[in-house]
Amino acid sequence: MPTAGPTPEGPRANHLLGHPPDARLLLQNCDDLGLDESVNLAVIESVQQGIAASCSLMTPCHAAPHALRLLRRHPEITVLGYLRCRKPGEPPEAGSRRAPRTRRLCHDEEKA
């Protein structure tokens, strides 16, 4: 199994972050922003305190609008996003064990 060794991007990333080229860095990312309002608050606090470097927004989850409001107040926070695609007619929670209260945040193309 290959180990995580230096890559061409590694030394450059280290330099951009203010570290020597041979430094080994661990960048933490908080997942699940949007899952619940309490999770949203904890994620924002973790990034602000330097525990994590960024966060990932779960757009289909019920607390995503709350997360977006928090992010608007904290533009310094790096956020990644991902969408969960589903088949036409499939209920929002299909295939997800953790999002029973999911609601659609955008319109389907067929309704547009």
Side-chain angles (χ1 to χ4, degrees), residues 51-68:
I51 296 167
S54 60
C55 57
S56 299
L57 177 62
M58 296 175 53
T59 55
C61 290
H62 78 280
H66 177 255
L68 291 171

Side-chain angles (χ1 to χ4, degrees), residues 4-44:
T7 64
E9 296 82 21
R12 181 169 183 260
N14 285 8
H15 173 73
L16 291 172
L17 294 169
H19 297 279
D22 60 342
R24 299 182 103 195
L25 304 178
L26 172 66
L27 300 178
Q28 298 273 95
N29 179 68
C30 288
D31 277 341
D32 297 345
L33 184 69
L35 184 66
D36 187 79
E37 289 186 9
S38 62
V39 171
N40 294 345
L41 295 170
V43 166
I44 297 296

Side-chain angles (χ1 to χ4, degrees), residues 43-86:
V43 166
I44 297 296
E45 184 178 339
S46 295
V47 176
Q48 288 179 322
Q49 292 182 3
I51 296 167
S54 60
C55 57
S56 299
L57 177 62
M58 296 175 53
T59 55
C61 290
H62 78 280
H66 177 255
L68 291 171
R69 287 191 298 275
L70 290 173
L71 289 170
R72 280 189 206 106
R73 286 186 248 154
H74 300 282
E76 73 282 2
I77 293 178
T78 301
V79 63
L80 311 168
Y82 59 90
L83 299 172
R84 188 181 71 79
C85 299
R86 56 182 201 267

